mmCIF file of all heavy atoms in Angstrom:
data_model
loop_
_atom_site.group_PDB
_atom_site.id
_atom_site.type_symbol
_atom_site.label_atom_id
_atom_site.label_comp_id
_atom_site.label_asym_id
_atom_site.label_seq_id
_atom_site.Cartn_x
_atom_site.Cartn_y
_atom_site.Cartn_z
ATOM 1 N N VAL C 1 192.863 69.739 87.217
ATOM 2 C CA VAL C 1 192.242 70.396 86.063
ATOM 3 C C VAL C 1 193.311 70.673 85.015
ATOM 4 O O VAL C 1 194.411 71.124 85.341
ATOM 5 C CB VAL C 1 191.549 71.712 86.487
ATOM 6 C CG1 VAL C 1 190.853 72.370 85.300
ATOM 7 C CG2 VAL C 1 190.554 71.444 87.618
ATOM 8 N N SER C 2 192.981 70.430 83.753
ATOM 9 C CA SER C 2 193.940 70.660 82.673
ATOM 10 C C SER C 2 194.291 72.132 82.566
ATOM 11 O O SER C 2 193.505 73.002 82.971
ATOM 12 C CB SER C 2 193.369 70.160 81.344
ATOM 13 O OG SER C 2 192.192 70.876 80.997
ATOM 14 N N PRO C 3 195.462 72.479 82.024
ATOM 15 C CA PRO C 3 195.878 73.882 81.948
ATOM 16 C C PRO C 3 194.897 74.777 81.204
ATOM 17 O O PRO C 3 194.762 75.956 81.539
ATOM 18 C CB PRO C 3 197.233 73.806 81.219
ATOM 19 C CG PRO C 3 197.754 72.445 81.527
ATOM 20 C CD PRO C 3 196.545 71.556 81.573
ATOM 21 N N ASP C 4 194.179 74.227 80.203
ATOM 22 C CA ASP C 4 193.217 75.034 79.458
ATOM 23 C C ASP C 4 191.827 75.015 80.078
ATOM 24 O O ASP C 4 190.905 75.651 79.564
ATOM 25 C CB ASP C 4 193.145 74.581 78.003
ATOM 26 C CG ASP C 4 192.769 73.107 77.845
ATOM 27 O OD1 ASP C 4 192.364 72.469 78.848
ATOM 28 O OD2 ASP C 4 192.897 72.579 76.725
ATOM 29 N N GLY C 5 191.661 74.288 81.171
ATOM 30 C CA GLY C 5 190.372 74.245 81.851
ATOM 31 C C GLY C 5 189.322 73.397 81.167
ATOM 32 O O GLY C 5 188.164 73.379 81.596
ATOM 33 N N LYS C 6 189.693 72.637 80.141
ATOM 34 C CA LYS C 6 188.704 71.879 79.371
ATOM 35 C C LYS C 6 188.402 70.506 79.955
ATOM 36 O O LYS C 6 187.364 69.907 79.632
ATOM 37 C CB LYS C 6 189.174 71.724 77.925
ATOM 38 C CG LYS C 6 189.213 73.038 77.149
ATOM 39 C CD LYS C 6 189.651 72.800 75.702
ATOM 40 C CE LYS C 6 189.648 74.107 74.913
ATOM 41 N NZ LYS C 6 190.052 73.894 73.506
ATOM 42 N N HIS C 7 189.283 69.978 80.795
ATOM 43 C CA HIS C 7 189.099 68.639 81.342
ATOM 44 C C HIS C 7 189.543 68.603 82.807
ATOM 45 O O HIS C 7 190.343 69.432 83.237
ATOM 46 C CB HIS C 7 189.909 67.607 80.551
ATOM 47 C CG HIS C 7 189.575 67.534 79.103
ATOM 48 N ND1 HIS C 7 190.216 68.319 78.152
ATOM 49 C CD2 HIS C 7 188.661 66.789 78.425
ATOM 50 C CE1 HIS C 7 189.711 68.053 76.957
ATOM 51 N NE2 HIS C 7 188.774 67.140 77.095
ATOM 52 N N TYR C 8 189.006 67.641 83.520
ATOM 53 C CA TYR C 8 189.521 67.352 84.858
ATOM 54 C C TYR C 8 189.538 65.849 85.049
ATOM 55 O O TYR C 8 188.876 65.095 84.315
ATOM 56 C CB TYR C 8 188.720 68.053 85.949
ATOM 57 C CG TYR C 8 187.285 67.618 86.129
ATOM 58 C CD1 TYR C 8 186.938 66.584 87.011
ATOM 59 C CD2 TYR C 8 186.247 68.264 85.456
ATOM 60 C CE1 TYR C 8 185.625 66.199 87.213
ATOM 61 C CE2 TYR C 8 184.923 67.890 85.638
ATOM 62 C CZ TYR C 8 184.624 66.860 86.527
ATOM 63 O OH TYR C 8 183.313 66.483 86.715
ATOM 64 N N ALA C 9 190.330 65.401 86.042
ATOM 65 C CA ALA C 9 190.539 63.967 86.222
ATOM 66 C C ALA C 9 190.480 63.600 87.696
ATOM 67 O O ALA C 9 190.775 64.416 88.574
ATOM 68 C CB ALA C 9 191.887 63.555 85.630
ATOM 69 N N PHE C 10 190.100 62.359 87.959
ATOM 70 C CA PHE C 10 190.114 61.838 89.314
ATOM 71 C C PHE C 10 190.149 60.314 89.272
ATOM 72 O O PHE C 10 189.731 59.681 88.289
ATOM 73 C CB PHE C 10 188.899 62.312 90.123
ATOM 74 C CG PHE C 10 187.563 61.857 89.590
ATOM 75 C CD1 PHE C 10 186.978 60.671 90.021
ATOM 76 C CD2 PHE C 10 186.883 62.625 88.652
ATOM 77 C CE1 PHE C 10 185.741 60.258 89.543
ATOM 78 C CE2 PHE C 10 185.649 62.225 88.153
ATOM 79 C CZ PHE C 10 185.081 61.029 88.601
ATOM 80 N N GLY C 11 190.696 59.710 90.334
ATOM 81 C CA GLY C 11 190.729 58.262 90.461
ATOM 82 C C GLY C 11 189.616 57.780 91.361
ATOM 83 O O GLY C 11 189.134 58.518 92.225
ATOM 84 N N GLN C 12 189.203 56.541 91.160
ATOM 85 C CA GLN C 12 188.109 55.989 91.944
ATOM 86 C C GLN C 12 188.384 54.518 92.262
ATOM 87 O O GLN C 12 188.756 53.745 91.366
ATOM 88 C CB GLN C 12 186.794 56.123 91.176
ATOM 89 C CG GLN C 12 185.546 55.954 92.015
ATOM 90 C CD GLN C 12 184.316 56.465 91.283
ATOM 91 O OE1 GLN C 12 184.137 56.229 90.088
ATOM 92 N NE2 GLN C 12 183.469 57.187 91.993
ATOM 93 N N PRO C 13 188.217 54.110 93.530
ATOM 94 C CA PRO C 13 188.419 52.701 93.855
ATOM 95 C C PRO C 13 187.324 51.843 93.257
ATOM 96 O O PRO C 13 186.237 52.320 92.938
ATOM 97 C CB PRO C 13 188.364 52.688 95.388
ATOM 98 C CG PRO C 13 187.517 53.875 95.739
ATOM 99 C CD PRO C 13 187.832 54.916 94.698
ATOM 100 N N ALA C 14 187.623 50.555 93.109
ATOM 101 C CA ALA C 14 186.616 49.624 92.611
ATOM 102 C C ALA C 14 185.607 49.318 93.716
ATOM 103 O O ALA C 14 185.914 49.442 94.909
ATOM 104 C CB ALA C 14 187.290 48.338 92.141
ATOM 105 N N PRO C 15 184.383 48.928 93.360
ATOM 106 C CA PRO C 15 183.385 48.616 94.394
ATOM 107 C C PRO C 15 183.725 47.376 95.200
ATOM 108 O O PRO C 15 183.299 47.244 96.344
ATOM 109 C CB PRO C 15 182.099 48.427 93.587
ATOM 110 C CG PRO C 15 182.553 48.077 92.205
ATOM 111 C CD PRO C 15 183.827 48.832 91.999
ATOM 112 N N ASP C 16 184.503 46.453 94.633
ATOM 113 C CA ASP C 16 184.923 45.263 95.365
ATOM 114 C C ASP C 16 186.163 44.687 94.680
ATOM 115 O O ASP C 16 186.591 45.160 93.625
ATOM 116 C CB ASP C 16 183.800 44.228 95.431
ATOM 117 C CG ASP C 16 183.299 43.809 94.057
ATOM 118 O OD1 ASP C 16 184.102 43.267 93.257
ATOM 119 O OD2 ASP C 16 182.107 44.037 93.760
ATOM 120 N N LYS C 17 186.744 43.644 95.281
ATOM 121 C CA LYS C 17 188.012 43.114 94.802
ATOM 122 C C LYS C 17 187.907 42.324 93.507
ATOM 123 O O LYS C 17 188.932 41.904 92.952
ATOM 124 C CB LYS C 17 188.661 42.259 95.880
ATOM 125 C CG LYS C 17 187.874 41.035 96.281
ATOM 126 C CD LYS C 17 188.594 40.294 97.391
ATOM 127 C CE LYS C 17 187.828 39.069 97.857
ATOM 128 N NZ LYS C 17 188.526 38.376 98.958
ATOM 129 N N THR C 18 186.705 42.134 92.998
ATOM 130 C CA THR C 18 186.560 41.456 91.711
ATOM 131 C C THR C 18 186.740 42.407 90.539
ATOM 132 O O THR C 18 186.779 41.966 89.390
ATOM 133 C CB THR C 18 185.176 40.787 91.596
ATOM 134 O OG1 THR C 18 184.152 41.809 91.558
ATOM 135 C CG2 THR C 18 184.921 39.863 92.771
ATOM 136 N N LYS C 19 186.847 43.707 90.834
ATOM 137 C CA LYS C 19 186.993 44.705 89.793
ATOM 138 C C LYS C 19 188.277 45.500 90.031
ATOM 139 O O LYS C 19 188.996 45.258 91.004
ATOM 140 C CB LYS C 19 185.762 45.610 89.745
ATOM 141 C CG LYS C 19 184.471 44.846 89.462
ATOM 142 C CD LYS C 19 183.271 45.761 89.494
ATOM 143 C CE LYS C 19 181.996 45.008 89.133
ATOM 144 N NZ LYS C 19 181.703 43.927 90.097
ATOM 145 N N VAL C 20 188.579 46.463 89.153
ATOM 146 C CA VAL C 20 189.806 47.246 89.278
ATOM 147 C C VAL C 20 189.467 48.711 89.488
ATOM 148 O O VAL C 20 188.375 49.178 89.134
ATOM 149 C CB VAL C 20 190.693 47.090 88.021
ATOM 150 C CG1 VAL C 20 191.139 45.652 87.857
ATOM 151 C CG2 VAL C 20 189.972 47.589 86.769
ATOM 152 N N ALA C 21 190.417 49.421 90.080
ATOM 153 C CA ALA C 21 190.263 50.867 90.234
ATOM 154 C C ALA C 21 190.260 51.529 88.862
ATOM 155 O O ALA C 21 190.764 50.971 87.879
ATOM 156 C CB ALA C 21 191.393 51.417 91.094
ATOM 157 N N THR C 22 189.692 52.722 88.790
ATOM 158 C CA THR C 22 189.556 53.412 87.504
ATOM 159 C C THR C 22 190.057 54.846 87.583
ATOM 160 O O THR C 22 190.147 55.432 88.656
ATOM 161 C CB THR C 22 188.085 53.432 87.040
ATOM 162 O OG1 THR C 22 187.268 53.995 88.093
ATOM 163 C CG2 THR C 22 187.591 52.031 86.710
ATOM 164 N N MET C 23 190.411 55.392 86.429
ATOM 165 C CA MET C 23 190.693 56.818 86.273
ATOM 166 C C MET C 23 189.612 57.421 85.392
ATOM 167 O O MET C 23 189.195 56.812 84.400
ATOM 168 C CB MET C 23 192.062 57.036 85.626
ATOM 169 C CG MET C 23 193.233 56.981 86.581
ATOM 170 S SD MET C 23 193.187 58.249 87.896
ATOM 171 C CE MET C 23 193.184 59.755 86.915
ATOM 172 N N HIS C 24 189.178 58.624 85.775
ATOM 173 C CA HIS C 24 188.135 59.318 85.035
ATOM 174 C C HIS C 24 188.692 60.619 84.480
ATOM 175 O O HIS C 24 189.328 61.385 85.205
ATOM 176 C CB HIS C 24 186.948 59.630 85.944
ATOM 177 C CG HIS C 24 186.257 58.421 86.478
ATOM 178 N ND1 HIS C 24 184.971 58.074 86.130
ATOM 179 C CD2 HIS C 24 186.689 57.448 87.341
ATOM 180 C CE1 HIS C 24 184.628 56.962 86.749
ATOM 181 N NE2 HIS C 24 185.656 56.568 87.494
ATOM 182 N N VAL C 25 188.454 60.879 83.209
ATOM 183 C CA VAL C 25 188.806 62.150 82.586
ATOM 184 C C VAL C 25 187.510 62.733 82.048
ATOM 185 O O VAL C 25 186.868 62.155 81.159
ATOM 186 C CB VAL C 25 189.832 61.970 81.448
ATOM 187 C CG1 VAL C 25 190.142 63.321 80.809
ATOM 188 C CG2 VAL C 25 191.111 61.329 81.979
ATOM 189 N N VAL C 26 187.109 63.873 82.582
ATOM 190 C CA VAL C 26 185.801 64.453 82.291
ATOM 191 C C VAL C 26 185.953 65.684 81.414
ATOM 192 O O VAL C 26 186.792 66.557 81.670
ATOM 193 C CB VAL C 26 185.067 64.828 83.595
ATOM 194 C CG1 VAL C 26 183.685 65.408 83.296
ATOM 195 C CG2 VAL C 26 184.950 63.608 84.510
ATOM 196 N N ASP C 27 185.124 65.765 80.380
ATOM 197 C CA ASP C 27 185.061 66.932 79.510
ATOM 198 C C ASP C 27 184.156 67.967 80.173
ATOM 199 O O ASP C 27 182.975 67.712 80.415
ATOM 200 C CB ASP C 27 184.515 66.528 78.138
ATOM 201 C CG ASP C 27 184.531 67.667 77.146
ATOM 202 O OD1 ASP C 27 183.679 68.579 77.267
ATOM 203 O OD2 ASP C 27 185.388 67.660 76.244
ATOM 204 N N VAL C 28 184.706 69.138 80.485
ATOM 205 C CA VAL C 28 183.947 70.147 81.217
ATOM 206 C C VAL C 28 182.763 70.650 80.411
ATOM 207 O O VAL C 28 181.659 70.824 80.931
ATOM 208 C CB VAL C 28 184.860 71.323 81.627
ATOM 209 C CG1 VAL C 28 184.053 72.446 82.265
ATOM 210 C CG2 VAL C 28 185.952 70.852 82.584
ATOM 211 N N ALA C 29 182.937 70.884 79.122
ATOM 212 C CA ALA C 29 181.878 71.456 78.296
ATOM 213 C C ALA C 29 180.680 70.527 78.165
ATOM 214 O O ALA C 29 179.520 70.962 78.234
ATOM 215 C CB ALA C 29 182.430 71.813 76.920
ATOM 216 N N THR C 30 180.939 69.239 77.971
ATOM 217 C CA THR C 30 179.850 68.293 77.706
ATOM 218 C C THR C 30 179.498 67.418 78.903
ATOM 219 O O THR C 30 178.416 66.814 78.933
ATOM 220 C CB THR C 30 180.230 67.367 76.535
ATOM 221 O OG1 THR C 30 181.340 66.540 76.928
ATOM 222 C CG2 THR C 30 180.619 68.183 75.312
ATOM 223 N N GLY C 31 180.392 67.313 79.861
ATOM 224 C CA GLY C 31 180.168 66.417 80.986
ATOM 225 C C GLY C 31 180.500 64.970 80.692
ATOM 226 O O GLY C 31 180.308 64.099 81.551
ATOM 227 N N ALA C 32 181.003 64.682 79.492
ATOM 228 C CA ALA C 32 181.342 63.313 79.120
ATOM 229 C C ALA C 32 182.454 62.782 80.017
ATOM 230 O O ALA C 32 183.496 63.426 80.160
ATOM 231 C CB ALA C 32 181.761 63.246 77.656
ATOM 232 N N ASP C 33 182.224 61.608 80.607
ATOM 233 C CA ASP C 33 183.168 60.998 81.539
ATOM 234 C C ASP C 33 183.825 59.807 80.851
ATOM 235 O O ASP C 33 183.174 58.798 80.569
ATOM 236 C CB ASP C 33 182.420 60.549 82.786
ATOM 237 C CG ASP C 33 183.349 59.993 83.864
ATOM 238 O OD1 ASP C 33 184.566 59.929 83.622
ATOM 239 O OD2 ASP C 33 182.844 59.615 84.941
ATOM 240 N N HIS C 34 185.126 59.924 80.581
ATOM 241 C CA HIS C 34 185.877 58.851 79.947
ATOM 242 C C HIS C 34 186.541 58.027 81.051
ATOM 243 O O HIS C 34 187.366 58.537 81.813
ATOM 244 C CB HIS C 34 186.921 59.414 78.989
ATOM 245 C CG HIS C 34 186.329 60.345 77.963
ATOM 246 N ND1 HIS C 34 185.697 59.902 76.833
ATOM 247 C CD2 HIS C 34 186.262 61.707 77.933
ATOM 248 C CE1 HIS C 34 185.269 60.938 76.118
ATOM 249 N NE2 HIS C 34 185.600 62.043 76.770
ATOM 250 N N VAL C 35 186.178 56.763 81.164
ATOM 251 C CA VAL C 35 186.607 55.897 82.260
ATOM 252 C C VAL C 35 187.652 54.903 81.753
ATOM 253 O O VAL C 35 187.438 54.228 80.740
ATOM 254 C CB VAL C 35 185.412 55.142 82.868
ATOM 255 C CG1 VAL C 35 185.863 54.321 84.070
ATOM 256 C CG2 VAL C 35 184.312 56.123 83.277
ATOM 257 N N PHE C 36 188.774 54.827 82.469
ATOM 258 C CA PHE C 36 189.866 53.933 82.088
ATOM 259 C C PHE C 36 190.189 52.992 83.250
ATOM 260 O O PHE C 36 190.339 53.441 84.398
ATOM 261 C CB PHE C 36 191.116 54.732 81.725
ATOM 262 C CG PHE C 36 190.905 55.728 80.614
ATOM 263 C CD1 PHE C 36 190.689 57.068 80.892
ATOM 264 C CD2 PHE C 36 190.916 55.313 79.288
ATOM 265 C CE1 PHE C 36 190.506 57.987 79.868
ATOM 266 C CE2 PHE C 36 190.731 56.225 78.250
ATOM 267 C CZ PHE C 36 190.520 57.557 78.538
ATOM 268 N N ALA C 37 190.292 51.714 82.954
ATOM 269 C CA ALA C 37 190.676 50.736 83.970
ATOM 270 C C ALA C 37 192.155 50.891 84.315
ATOM 271 O O ALA C 37 192.977 51.187 83.454
ATOM 272 C CB ALA C 37 190.406 49.319 83.463
ATOM 273 N N THR C 38 192.493 50.678 85.593
ATOM 274 C CA THR C 38 193.888 50.773 86.041
ATOM 275 C C THR C 38 194.234 49.514 86.835
ATOM 276 O O THR C 38 194.327 49.551 88.058
ATOM 277 C CB THR C 38 194.118 52.029 86.901
ATOM 278 O OG1 THR C 38 193.252 51.963 88.059
ATOM 279 C CG2 THR C 38 193.785 53.289 86.126
ATOM 280 N N PRO C 39 194.420 48.398 86.175
ATOM 281 C CA PRO C 39 194.621 47.131 86.887
ATOM 282 C C PRO C 39 195.947 46.997 87.613
ATOM 283 O O PRO C 39 196.159 46.033 88.328
ATOM 284 C CB PRO C 39 194.519 46.095 85.757
ATOM 285 C CG PRO C 39 194.915 46.841 84.524
ATOM 286 C CD PRO C 39 194.408 48.234 84.720
ATOM 287 N N SER C 40 196.853 47.974 87.468
ATOM 288 C CA SER C 40 198.162 47.841 88.120
ATOM 289 C C SER C 40 198.124 48.191 89.599
ATOM 290 O O SER C 40 199.085 47.957 90.319
ATOM 291 C CB SER C 40 199.197 48.729 87.410
ATOM 292 O OG SER C 40 198.802 50.090 87.484
#
């Protein structure tokens, strides 16, 4: 959780090997989930 409590983050594996794992940054107030690919 961010120091100001406004966001939280978590990683998620891909559903299969044709895709990449992702990082999620969620806005607590709105619930908006910003998803970023992590191909490394």
